[in-house]
Amino acid sequence: MKDLSELQSQIESLKAEIREHAEKAANSKGLYELKKSFLDSKQGKLSALMKEMAQVPAEQKANFGKAVNEAKQWALGFFEDIDSKLKEKEMKLRYESEKIDISMPAKMQKKGNLHPITTVRNQLIDIFAGMGFSVYEGSEIENDYYNFTALNTPQDHPARDMQDTFYLSPEFLLRTQTSSGQIHVMENTKPPIKILSPGKVFRSDDDATHSPMFTQMEGLVVDEGITLSDLKGSLDTFVKKVFGDETTTRLRPSYFPFTEPSVEVDVSCFECGGKGCRLCKGTGWIEILGAGVVNKKVLENCGIDSSKYSGFAFGLGIERIAMLKYGINNIKMLFESDLRVLDQIDD
Ligand code: FA5
């Protein structure tokens, strides 16, 4: 038989044990394990005292139960106190370790930007779209007819030598000019026509300002009463938007088999304002594109009545415009994808 005083001293020593170990608990997880070892309903040392009820005399059973329950209540409260202190400490440590110094300069995020050729291409499309042009994208592989013959450049025509051509077969070739797009559009569309045709073209050509693959942008307008002054007006608007309001254009006689008359278009040097500098090689002018009034033979080749309709066309090199705009002196820089160069160009 057990008596109450024996139980009291057992309770006191368990309480002392709880105090001693709980105060030393390193963290709330450790404390939880400790709490379980005393209060778990099956294995807890304090809960286990209840099992001894059978050995307690009947008249002391109520007091015995009360004493064990009070001890359990005390232990619960005690563990709770220590637990909240530990949790507070843990929270502080966490805040410390996760603290963000908002005054620290942020790491620069590198933002991507469009390639200068794409930027210039988009800018040109925007400008001409504002004048009512729509975009037609032709194919990079053409047959001889569209690239040359329909453009009034039949076999053995000396103008074929102006563009060194990559032939894929006797019939097919890599287009040397976006002018081939003019023929496709005029064959399939009735005037009025107002299109831009940007795209890659290919020539066996390679030096600081010429590349075997480059990008052209063709412009074509066909309607009643179109003259060379319509061409000049459109080009004036375009160069002012690209190179600045002060820039003017100059037309020089030239030759293309598909335009008559044909012109080379120069812009006044936007670097020196026309006085003469390294960029314009002292002339005050920079050549930017070829153009002209669409040759009647080309209109007729496409089934357009040349007594009723007339047109103008122009073709420019996008790399050329990009090189002038960004001060790039070697066309290769535009194709080498060197970030040290490309990073400096951000419009
Ligand atoms: C033509 O290609 C004509 N089709 C342009 C044209 C269209 C005239 C419509 C009349 C009417 P050209 O060969 O000059 O013309 O080329 C036009 C532009 O392409 C040149 O001014 C130049 O800026 C660019 N270009 C020519 N060859 C190269 C090359 N190898 N690398 C980079 N750009 C080039």
Side-chain angles (χ1 to χ4, degrees):
M1 279 288 153
K2 280 223 163 167
D3 81 357
L4 217 48
S5 63
E6 212 180 316
L7 173 75
Q8 279 302 349
S9 70
Q10 251 181 299
I11 287 177
E12 286 313 316
S13 72
L14 284 176
K15 278 176 152 180
E17 212 182 312
I18 288 173
R19 272 192 208 96
E20 190 193 337
H21 289 99
E23 314 249 272
K24 287 185 196 152
N27 50 39
S28 51
K29 191 163 177 273
L31 187 76
Y32 174 75
E33 292 303 327
L34 185 72
K35 182 177 158 186
K36 249 172 62 177
S37 74
F38 283 93
L39 291 173
D40 183 81
S41 57
K42 286 189 186 125
Q43 286 141 13
K45 292 181 199 168
L46 257 176
S47 315
L49 288 178
M50 278 301 197
K51 290 184 194 146
E52 301 188 20
M53 187 69 97
Q55 298 179 43
V56 176
E59 67 281 8
Q60 290 190 1
K61 276 191 195 300
N63 286 339
F64 182 90
K66 194 173 161 216
V68 174
N69 278 334
E70 276 173 4
K72 279 166 80 176
Q73 284 311 312
W74 171 87
L76 271 174
F78 188 76
F79 278 121
E80 227 169 81
D81 270 4
I82 305 267
D83 188 51
S84 64
K85 279 181 199 147
L86 280 174
K87 288 221 167 95
E88 199 176 318
K89 208 166 106 191
E90 282 164 4
M91 209 49 122
K92 268 193 190 151
L93 283 172
R94 205 174 132 192
Y95 287 153
E96 268 317 304
S97 72
E98 291 177 3
K99 201 158 118 184
I100 296 168
D101 180 358
I102 53 166
S103 66
M104 216 164 101
K107 273 193 194 149
M108 289 301 286
Q109 289 287 331
K110 227 169 151 11
K111 82 176 164 59
N113 43 298
L114 293 176
H115 191 278
I117 295 177
T118 312
T119 305
V120 172
R121 180 185 187 274
N122 292 348
Q123 193 190 0
L124 299 187
I125 291 175
D126 259 13
I127 294 171
F128 283 103
M131 293 189 248
F133 284 72
S134 53
V135 173
Y136 165 82
E137 287 195 65
S139 139
E140 288 168 16
I141 295 179
E142 271 298 358
N143 66 22
D144 190 274
Y145 177 78
Y146 287 97
N147 196 78
F148 289 125
T149 308
L151 285 161
N152 195 33
T153 323
Q155 287 290 346
D156 305 325
H157 192 291
R160 286 204 178 203
D161 297 341
M162 289 162 73
Q163 301 173 3
D164 278 326
T165 311
F166 292 115
Y167 278 92
L168 303 174
S169 70
E171 192 191 351
F172 290 101
L173 47 84
L174 294 176
R175 68 176 172 191
T176 59
Q177 50 189 351
T178 43
S179 301
S180 52
Q182 287 187 31
I183 306 299
H184 288 286
V185 172
M186 287 193 280
E187 275 182 350
N188 294 303
T189 324
K190 284 200 174 77
I193 293 169
K194 215 172 187 186
I195 58 106
L196 269 189
S197 185
K200 291 191 181 106
V201 299
F202 308 83
R203 292 181 196 178
S204 179
D205 216 356
D206 197 6
D207 62 30
T209 53
H210 294 85
S211 156
M213 187 283 291
F214 62 103
T215 327
Q216 279 193 341
M217 174 104 63
E218 193 82 3
L220 172 71
V221 174
V222 181
D223 203 350
E224 289 181 38
I226 297 292
T227 66
L228 200 64
S229 42
D230 295 306
L231 168 73
K232 184 148 174 26
S234 305
L235 294 179
D236 275 343
T237 309
F238 142 69
V239 297
K240 284 187 194 317
K241 291 213 164 130
V242 176
F243 298 112
D245 278 340
E246 308 304 312
T247 318
T248 54
T249 54
R250 170 176 93 167
L251 307 187
R252 272 184 299 110
S254 183
Y255 174 74
F256 296 102
F258 33 91
T259 44
E260 181 57 40
S262 301
V263 292
E264 292 285 354
V265 180
D266 297 341
V267 291
S268 56
C269 181
F270 40 85
E271 191 76 13
C272 64
K275 287 191 208 89
C277 67
R278 257 184 47 191
L279 183 67
C280 60
K281 300 192 184 88
T283 64
W285 295 94
I286 299 170
E287 181 198 316
I288 57 155
L289 56 88
V293 172
V294 180
N295 193 313
K296 283 179 185 292
K297 284 189 196 158
V298 175
L299 294 177
E300 297 296 339
N301 286 343
C302 302
I304 293 177
D305 181 356
S306 64
S307 62
K308 186 172 179 200
Y309 295 106
S310 57
F312 72 71
F314 62 86
L316 55 83
I318 293 185
E319 286 78 7
R320 183 111 236 259
I321 306 282
M323 287 168 79
L324 291 170
K325 201 164 140 64
Y326 301 120
I328 295 170
N329 57 15
N330 191 322
I331 196 167
K332 306 284 179 303
M333 284 186 183
L334 287 170
F335 298 112
E336 280 165 351
S337 300
D338 185 339
L339 289 180
R340 286 169 305 178
V341 175
L342 297 180
D343 273 351
Q344 295 177 46
I345 303 170
D346 191 5
D347 239 9

